[in-house]
Amino acid sequence: MKIETIKNKGFAISLITFPIMLLVGFLMHPNLLRLEALHTVEQLVGRFHNQPLYHFGHLIVMFAVPVIMIMLTGNMNVLQGKGKRAGFWGGIIGLFGAFILAVDKGALCLVLSAFDTLPEAEFQVFVPFLSVMVNKAGLLWVVWLLPLLPIGAAIQAFGLMKEQIIHKWQGVSTIAGLLLLNNPDIELISAVGALLMCIGYIPWGVKLLQAA
């Protein structure tokens, strides 16, 4: 198989798989229907303690990062006309945001899965110290840059509509879904956002895969 064919198929597959991976990851949240933002240690413990699906869901989201990077880079290559500037700057912003997503899941999710293996007595002693994670203490403040990912992808979506590479309804659905990801850790809203992204990205990905 030629390199160009592999690149085209890989890009198409990334458009299909990454929103599905995000959707599956969000739906694995144990308190999906509880519309509350994360503010306290008690809320954090209730989300992850003895909840293997929570950890696995976040693992899926973390593994979506390289797929997202392929998608963003592919959009930069596709947008060569009126949307070239949007493709480039959206890609730069989005790629940095994707890196922050990997940092976020590594620091705030994989680490929590390790803490969850402690014996219950030791875990309860450790619980008060989780406040540093809830408050994003120290250098954890960098995870506040996570909105750069959906912002960058949304900029690219505008470029894709400008060049008429995707239909307007696909672009609107994609942008709406991306904007919904910017919420205070309310997984149901994130899941709805991922679903809208599936509606926007997947038809284009399928079309490209069939043409590759």
Side-chain angles (χ1 to χ4, degrees):
M1 188 179 297
K2 294 181 179 180
I3 294 298
E4 283 302 314
T5 301
I6 295 174
K7 286 170 60 178
N8 293 337
K9 286 184 178 292
F11 174 52
I13 292 171
S14 74
L15 290 167
I16 298 168
T17 56
F18 99 84
I20 294 176
M21 293 175 75
L22 294 183
L23 179 61
V24 171
F26 295 140
L27 290 177
M28 286 186 172
H29 196 276
N31 300 311
L32 184 63
L33 299 180
R34 189 176 298 173
L35 299 176
E36 61 178 17
L38 179 61
H39 295 299
T40 68
V41 172
E42 290 72 22
Q43 288 175 317
L44 178 62
V45 172
R47 290 186 179 194
F48 83 86
H49 189 41
N50 294 323
Q51 298 287 351
L53 282 181
Y54 176 90
H55 300 306
F56 188 65
H58 280 130
L59 185 66
I60 292 174
V61 173
M62 190 188 74
F63 280 139
V65 170
V67 185
I68 292 171
M69 289 180 166
I70 293 171
M71 180 274 297
L72 292 168
T73 304
N75 283 339
M76 293 174 74
N77 294 329
V78 166
L79 290 166
Q80 296 297 321
K82 295 179 180 179
K84 186 173 183 177
R85 184 171 297 180
F88 176 77
W89 290 113
I92 296 297
I93 295 169
L95 285 168
F96 186 79
F99 167 74
I100 298 298
L101 177 60
V103 171
D104 177 85
K105 296 311 171 194
L108 301 179
C109 301
L110 298 186
V111 172
L112 290 179
S113 71
F115 290 146
D116 210 22
T117 64
L118 292 171
E120 189 62 28
E122 293 181 23
F123 179 83
Q124 292 303 324
V125 172
F126 170 76
V127 164
F129 299 105
L130 290 172
S131 62
V132 297
M133 304 190 78
V134 174
N135 297 323
K136 309 292 190 298
L139 295 179
L140 281 177
W141 64 265
V142 298
V143 302
W144 292 115
L145 298 175
L146 187 56
L148 291 177
L149 171 55
I151 289 172
I155 292 172
Q156 287 192 330
F158 277 113
L160 292 168
M161 286 192 293
K162 193 173 184 179
E163 291 195 16
Q164 298 182 341
I165 294 173
I166 60 175
H167 297 293
K168 186 176 181 179
W169 65 266
Q170 290 175 286
V172 170
S173 179
T174 296
I175 293 169
L178 288 164
L179 294 178
L180 285 178
L181 296 184
N182 289 329
N183 70 79
D185 290 320
I186 300 176
E187 301 297 331
L188 181 59
I189 296 177
S190 297
V192 173
L195 180 60
L196 289 173
M197 290 161 61
C198 286
I199 294 172
Y201 279 116
I202 291 178
W204 182 34
V206 171
K207 180 180 178 180
L208 291 178
L209 190 60
Q210 290 173 340

